[in-house]
């Protein structure tokens, strides 16, 4: 199993970025995929996730209304559209795959995910 995250970069506050997570070795419709981030000196936190069925989505309160998760089954890729970015969104962003507990839900902690990508850096300047 491999997850390849990309799309990070340097952007001004208020700007947008679209992260991509290309997954190989497993099919998205059997696993939940999550986006996490970790800022220097802070713990890794969950940002968003999508269920194996694709109809269950979760967003952390800090990004609700600004971020949107989606996926392409054909491309086996999960996206994270990030709008109205803030300096506090600056972090290394990871995508991860987790076993399905419920096809309609994706909630879980870091330890519920068994495969991780290498991370892509997002830096938001003020």
């Amino acid at each position: 199993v491999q997850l390849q995250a990309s799309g990070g970069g340097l952007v001004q506050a208020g700007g947008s970025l679209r992260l991509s997570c290309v997954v190989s070795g497993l099919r998205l419709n059997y696993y939940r995929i999550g986006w996490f981030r970790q800022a220097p000196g802070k713990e890794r936190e969950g940002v968003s996730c999508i269920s194996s069925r694709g109809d269950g989505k979760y967003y952390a309160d800090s990004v609700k209304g600004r971020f949107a998760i989606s996926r392409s089954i054909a491309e086996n890729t999960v996206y994270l559209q990030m709008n109205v970015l803030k300096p506090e969104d600056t972090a290394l962003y990871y995508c991860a795959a987790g076993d399905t507990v419920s096809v309609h839900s994706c909630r879980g902690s870091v330890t519920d995910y068994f495969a991780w990508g290498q991370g892509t850096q997002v830096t938001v300047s003020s």
Side-chain angles (χ1 to χ4, degrees):
V1 177
Q2 284 190 323
L3 295 95
Q4 182 74 34
S6 63
L10 174 62
V11 64
Q12 288 188 331
S16 298
L17 285 172
R18 188 194 195 200
L19 305 184
S20 298
C21 177
V22 179
V23 183
S24 59
L26 57 83
R27 295 175 61 180
L28 294 185
N29 46 1
Y30 291 104
Y31 295 88
R32 53 179 161 171
I33 302 295
W35 283 99
F36 296 79
R37 66 186 181 187
Q38 188 166 19
K42 294 188 177 181
E43 291 188 353
R44 191 170 297 188
E45 63 173 351
V47 175
S48 181
C49 63
I50 187 166
S51 67
S52 59
R53 187 66 62 87
D55 57 351
K57 299 177 181 179
Y58 161 81
Y59 299 96
D61 287 343
S62 57
V63 306
K64 204 170 291 183
R66 299 188 297 121
F67 289 13
I69 192 168
S70 62
R71 71 181 188 180
S72 166
I73 294 296
E75 297 176 347
N76 226 44
T77 300
V78 176
Y79 303 97
L80 185 67
Q81 178 67 44
M82 307 186 298
N83 300 323
V84 195
L85 283 162
K86 304 176 181 180
E88 50 264 43
D89 294 319
T90 295
L92 190 59
Y93 283 71
Y94 300 88
C95 57
D99 289 322
T100 290
V101 176
S102 166
V103 297
H104 302 294
S105 176
C106 63
R107 290 295 301 272
S109 66
V110 170
T111 56
D112 292 325
Y113 288 79
F114 62 84
W116 293 79
Q118 85 290 358
T120 183
Q121 179 67 39
V122 172
T123 303
V124 185
S125 62
S126 57

